[in-house]
């Protein structure tokens, strides 16, 4: 079987010998809406759980809008114009609108990326700025959550009269699903807040995983932070595999986000008859596979399909290398998963250790292999031993020793594929 995988901007062909029981896994998806603008207008004018956006904006002088950064395929260029139109209709001028790129701890957007994120026309007319989590002085302290997280949110967002987020809903490796509250924290939070949200007490919580919302403590923490930051209105969409809008969910943040999550659960979940022996997956291509840091999402998503002790091969370009300096240092010094997990268990949280923590927790249960040509073996610590310079070598190593009838799943869209394997029923 030969399958075109998402890889960088152009894709790559992955082949598996026909002797294996190979299954192509694509996330189920709803059909694209017929008219995106009509769907957006309807959602904004008849929102879930609150008054229409135009009414909420009436009498306000300023509005702040948090949007996804370049690592997310959120269709901001489509969703922003009808939102801005309603703000202006309510009397908020162009100079009263600030669009914040919710970077979390990612780097700030380049000028070219800003045009990609919001569109050239909006970039030219509006104040569009990147959040900087490391500049504590640029954040407002809102107090501590009931769980003890110190909350700092970007002052430019907090200073506005109206607080809006634009995102999209998909499975997320820690928060269950993306969108909604994540555009505030970690999106616009200071690193002091982000470190606490990504500490071992949340990362090692069994319910802090893909597709988990009910009783997920990280999800509940993010909702509390969003309330503290006065999250007034959200507009989230769901996307097809072709990145077209399949659903629009606008309104009161908790209710509208819950509706988006329910839609994804009902329309996008793919079920496998039983766990497979090996998964070959991707990091979903550009822009998500720009760095090794981001590819962890493809690995943790694949873990829901493979049997304990099974194998996972991740295919990702990593054109910008490893990721942040902090993450790169940790990765290069990695000796084994267990010593790393023990080391950080009670130590002060460092920037970006959490992604490596999620990787280590998965790596303790499954055999991991990597085809990531944008990074060298020397940059991967002991993981360099399972990193390969060609795709053919990586596939051969992943399949080596498996019986000819082994079950192999091919997942070309990686973390965008919402799939679960059913546990086999034991023979009586």
């Amino acid at each position: 079987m030969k399958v075109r995988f998402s890889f960088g901007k152009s894709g790559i062909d992955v082949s598996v010998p026909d002797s294996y029981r190979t299954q192509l896994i694509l996330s189920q998806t709803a059909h694209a809406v017929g008219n995106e603008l009509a769907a957006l207008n309807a959602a904004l004018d008849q929102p879930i759980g609150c008054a229409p956006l135009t009414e909420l904006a009436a009498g306000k002088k300023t509005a702040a809008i948090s949007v996804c950064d370049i690592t997310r395929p959120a269709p901001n260029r489509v969703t922003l114009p009808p939102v801005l139109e309603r703000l202006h209709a309510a009397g908020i001028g162009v100079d009263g609108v600030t669009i914040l790129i919710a970077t979390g701890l990612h780097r700030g957007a380049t000028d070219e990326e800003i045009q990609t994120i919001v569109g050239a026309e909006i970039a030219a007319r509006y104040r569009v700025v990147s959040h900087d989590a490391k500049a504590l002085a640029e954040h407002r302290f809102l107090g501590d959550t009931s769980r003890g997280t110190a909350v700092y949110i970007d002052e430019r967002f907090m200073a506005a009269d109206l607080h809006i987020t634009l995102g999209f809903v998909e499975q997320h490796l820690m928060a269950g699903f993306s969108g909604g509250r994540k555009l505030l924290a970690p999106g616009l939070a200071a690193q002091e807040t982000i470190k606490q949200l990504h500490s071992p007490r949340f990362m090692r919580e069994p319910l802090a995983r893909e597709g988990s919302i009910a009783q997920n403590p990280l999800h509940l923490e993010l909702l509390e932070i969003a309330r503290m930051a006065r999250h007034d209105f959200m507009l989230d969409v769901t996307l097809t595999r072709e990145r077209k809008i399949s659903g629009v969910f606008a309104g009161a943040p908790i209710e509208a986000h819950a509706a988006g999550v329910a839609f994804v659960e009902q329309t996008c979940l793919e079920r496998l008859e039983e766990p497979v022996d090996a998964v070959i997956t991707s990091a979903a291509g550009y822009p998500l596979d720009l760095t090794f840091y981001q590819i962890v999402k493809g690995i943790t998503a694949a873990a829901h399909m493979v049997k304990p002790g099974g194998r996972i091969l991740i295919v990702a370009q990593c054109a910008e290398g490893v990721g942040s300096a902090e993450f790169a240092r940790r990765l290069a010094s990695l000796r084994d998963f267990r010593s790393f997990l023990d080391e950080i268990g009670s130590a002060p949280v460092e920037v970006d250790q959490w992604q490596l923590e999620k990787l280590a927790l998965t790596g303790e249960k499954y055999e991991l292999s990597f085809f990531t040509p944008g990074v060298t073996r020397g940059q991967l610590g002991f993981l360099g031993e399972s990193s390969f310079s060609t795709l053919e070598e990586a596939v051969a190593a992943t399949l080596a020793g498996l019986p000819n009838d082994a079950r192999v799943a091919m997942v070309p869209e990686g973390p965008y594929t919402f799939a679960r394997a059913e546990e086999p029923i034991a023979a009586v």
Side-chain angles (χ1 to χ4, degrees):
M1 179 184 284
K2 179 187 290 186
V3 176
R4 190 72 175 176
F5 271 48
S6 294
F7 183 86
K9 293 183 178 180
S10 57
I12 195 169
D13 289 329
V14 180
S15 298
V16 170
D18 292 334
S19 58
Y20 297 100
R21 290 190 293 163
T22 306
Q23 183 178 1
L24 174 62
I25 307 297
L26 299 172
S27 183
Q28 297 297 312
T29 179
H31 295 296
V33 297
N35 184 318
E36 291 184 339
L37 182 56
L40 289 164
N41 286 335
L44 291 170
D45 293 336
Q46 301 173 26
I48 299 169
C50 71
L53 180 58
T54 305
E55 292 184 24
L56 291 179
K60 308 289 196 304
K61 294 183 178 180
T62 58
I65 306 172
S66 177
V67 302
C68 298
D69 72 359
I70 194 65
T71 66
R72 307 290 190 268
N76 302 310
R77 286 176 293 178
V78 178
T79 57
L80 263 173
V83 169
L84 294 170
E85 177 184 326
R86 282 157 178 78
L87 296 181
H88 299 329
I92 298 177
V94 171
D95 59 354
V97 175
T98 299
I99 300 171
L100 292 109
I101 300 174
T103 58
L105 272 165
H106 304 165
R107 62 166 175 77
T110 65
D111 290 341
E112 181 180 356
E113 287 171 345
I114 288 175
Q115 295 197 31
T116 299
I117 292 168
V118 302
E121 183 177 346
I122 290 176
R125 291 188 64 205
Y126 292 83
R127 182 189 185 203
V128 183
V129 293
S130 291
H131 165 252
D132 182 359
K134 296 182 179 180
L136 181 60
E138 297 178 5
H139 296 75
R140 183 183 297 184
F141 178 59
L142 303 183
D144 294 341
T145 67
S146 58
R147 294 176 178 82
T149 300
V151 179
Y152 296 87
I153 299 295
D154 196 303
E155 174 62 29
R156 294 167 294 186
F157 186 82
M158 294 307 306
D161 298 329
L162 188 64
H163 300 157
I164 303 168
T165 65
L166 268 62
F168 74 106
V169 183
E170 62 170 352
Q171 66 173 341
H172 185 272
L173 79 165
M174 304 167 189
F177 291 90
S178 66
R181 69 279 189 255
K182 283 194 82 271
L183 274 295
L184 296 180
L188 297 181
Q191 67 173 346
E192 285 75 8
T193 299
I194 297 174
K195 285 180 178 181
Q196 294 180 63
L197 294 174
H198 292 71
S199 65
R201 72 174 169 133
F202 288 117
M203 295 303 96
R204 302 187 192 187
E205 165 57 54
L207 292 175
R209 55 180 171 78
E210 294 92 349
S212 172
I213 285 288
Q215 304 307 311
N216 179 338
L218 179 57
H219 168 63
L220 297 175
E221 189 79 336
L222 298 184
L223 288 181
E224 184 174 350
I225 291 173
R227 287 192 293 269
M228 295 169 68
R230 192 170 48 77
H231 191 185
D232 295 315
F233 191 89
M234 62 149 266
L235 170 61
D236 276 357
V237 299
T238 54
L239 303 174
T240 70
R241 286 193 294 270
E242 295 74 30
R243 305 291 183 265
K244 300 296 184 181
I245 294 175
S246 60
V248 183
F249 308 89
I254 293 178
E255 293 88 341
H257 184 258
V261 167
F263 183 79
V264 170
E265 291 176 328
Q266 294 164 9
T267 63
C268 298
L269 181 60
E270 171 71 8
R271 293 197 178 276
L272 286 66
E273 292 182 358
E274 61 180 292
V276 299
D277 299 284
V279 175
I280 302 176
T281 189
S282 80
Y286 179 87
L288 203 57
D289 75 347
L290 279 172
T291 64
F292 192 91
Y293 174 88
Q294 291 288 354
I295 75 168
V296 176
K297 297 174 181 178
I299 295 171
T300 59
H304 295 283
M305 308 175 216
V306 66
K307 63 179 57 174
R311 303 174 182 181
I312 300 173
L313 167 62
I314 185 80
V315 174
Q317 190 176 57
C318 301
E320 292 188 1
V322 173
S324 71
E326 296 91 344
F327 181 76
R329 178 182 58 79
R330 278 284 193 181
L331 182 62
S333 63
L334 193 65
R335 303 187 309 275
D336 60 79
F337 291 135
R338 178 39 48 188
S339 63
F340 169 72
L341 291 171
D342 290 343
E343 176 189 347
I344 68 171
S346 58
V349 178
E350 294 187 5
V351 170
D352 285 353
Q353 74 174 40
W354 41 86
Q355 204 84 332
L356 194 53
E357 184 173 11
K358 280 292 188 182
L359 179 64
L361 291 168
T362 307
E364 284 204 308
K365 299 177 181 178
Y366 308 98
E367 295 182 30
L368 308 182
S369 297
F370 306 87
F371 174 63
T372 53
V375 298
T376 66
R377 288 185 175 182
Q379 292 175 295
L380 297 178
F382 91 100
L383 297 181
E385 300 168 8
S386 51
S387 173
F388 299 89
S389 57
T390 71
L391 177 58
E392 292 74 20
E393 289 175 329
V395 172
T398 300
L399 302 178
L402 293 179
N404 286 337
D405 64 346
R407 295 174 62 90
V408 179
M410 300 183 76
V411 189
E413 290 290 326
Y416 296 145
T417 304
F418 184 28
R420 297 292 182 270
E422 303 286 356
E423 291 297 331
I425 300 175
V428 178

